[in-house]
């Protein structure tokens, strides 16, 4: 199985699939915001940014999948995004399941002054809802952050397996392989 994931990580198609899956999820988030009028809260914006980190890792891996350095950079950025996103989604779900005055998110996004994404791209990164505990959408009785727990956990497991597979040596091929 590790040889399979190692072989996948050496191909552009797998990295493109990773980036495209994140782009689709980002597109869905923007549709919820602009098409359905569901205002994102601060945690939604941070989760969107974590998903964007995974998208960037897919694009980096797509650039040069045969380069071990580029592959490792892509894997590490993807792992960071998946871990951060999973933590954010868990915290966001906690806000929703256990609302309390002492258990709530900040009313404003807090980006560094040198990287004010909410000022540069307000349609993407400005929180227009101040209540992270409010559940505005459900599918199969799961809210958006609960779905994101599953999504980020899936990305995390896949990226961990890909990272572990990098320590496997490529199998020596004897003869021609028609399916390479």
């Amino acid at each position: 199985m590790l040889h399979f994931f190692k072989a996948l990580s050496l191909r552009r198609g797998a990295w493109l699939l990773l980036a495209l899956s994140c782009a689709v999820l980002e597109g869905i988030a923007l549709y919820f915001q602009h098409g359905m009028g569901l205002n994102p809260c601060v945690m939604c914006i941070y989760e969107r940014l974590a998903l964007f980190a995974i998208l960037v890792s897919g694009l980096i891996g797509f650039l040069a999948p045969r380069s071990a350095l580029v592959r490792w950079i892509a894997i590490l950025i993807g792992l960071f995004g998946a871990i951060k996103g999973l933590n954010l989604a868990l915290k966001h779900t906690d806000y929703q399941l256990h609302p309390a005055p002492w258990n709530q998110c900040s009313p404003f996004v807090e980006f560094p002054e040198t990287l004010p994404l909410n000022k540069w791209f307000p349609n993407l990164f400005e929180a227009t809802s101040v209540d992270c505990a409010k559940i505005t959408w459900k599918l199969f009785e799961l809210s958006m952050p609960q779905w994101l727990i599953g999504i980020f956990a899936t990305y995390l497991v896949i990226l961990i397996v890909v990272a572990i597979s990098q320590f496997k040596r490529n199998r020596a091929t004897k003869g021609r392989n028609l399916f390479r």
Side-chain angles (χ1 to χ4, degrees):
M1 177 177 88
L2 292 177
H3 288 292
F4 172 74
F5 280 96
K6 173 78 180 263
L8 277 180
S9 72
L10 295 172
R11 296 195 176 120
R12 288 178 183 230
W15 292 104
L16 183 62
L17 182 62
L18 178 67
L20 285 177
S21 68
C22 290
V24 166
L25 290 170
E26 292 283 2
I28 290 170
L30 290 174
Y31 172 73
F32 281 149
Q33 179 180 354
H34 299 291
M36 294 175 61
L38 301 178
N39 295 328
C41 67
V42 172
M43 294 300 283
C44 296
I45 297 300
Y46 293 154
E47 290 158 350
R48 187 179 291 178
L49 198 56
L51 191 62
F52 188 70
I54 300 171
L55 187 147
V56 168
S57 79
L59 293 176
I60 289 171
F62 177 77
L63 292 176
R66 296 258 179 216
S67 166
L69 177 64
V70 171
R71 233 179 15 257
W72 273 109
I73 290 171
I75 290 169
L76 292 175
I77 291 172
L79 283 170
F80 174 77
I83 291 168
K84 191 70 174 168
L86 183 58
N87 286 334
L88 289 166
L90 287 167
K91 187 68 175 163
H92 194 175
T93 300
D94 182 51
Y95 290 149
Q96 290 183 341
L97 296 179
H98 307 103
W102 60 85
N103 191 26
Q104 54 186 329
C105 64
S106 168
F108 306 106
V109 290
E110 298 169 4
F111 291 117
E113 288 183 25
T114 56
L115 192 69
L117 294 175
N118 57 327
K119 303 282 190 273
W120 294 346
F121 307 105
N123 287 337
L124 293 174
F125 299 114
E126 185 61 57
T128 52
S129 173
V130 295
D131 189 7
C132 292
K134 185 177 179 185
I135 299 174
T136 57
W137 178 89
K138 279 189 171 188
L139 178 65
F140 303 120
E141 294 303 312
L142 296 174
S143 65
M144 272 189 233
Q146 290 171 323
W147 279 102
L148 285 174
I149 290 171
I151 290 167
F152 283 120
T154 301
Y155 281 131
L156 182 60
V157 167
I158 290 170
L159 287 163
I160 286 172
V161 171
V162 169
I164 292 170
S165 75
Q166 299 306 301
F167 297 105
K168 284 295 218 183
R169 290 181 181 236
N170 289 338
R171 291 182 179 162
T173 56
K174 295 180 182 177
R176 284 182 56 174
N177 185 354
L178 296 177
F179 300 106
R180 203 189 302 175

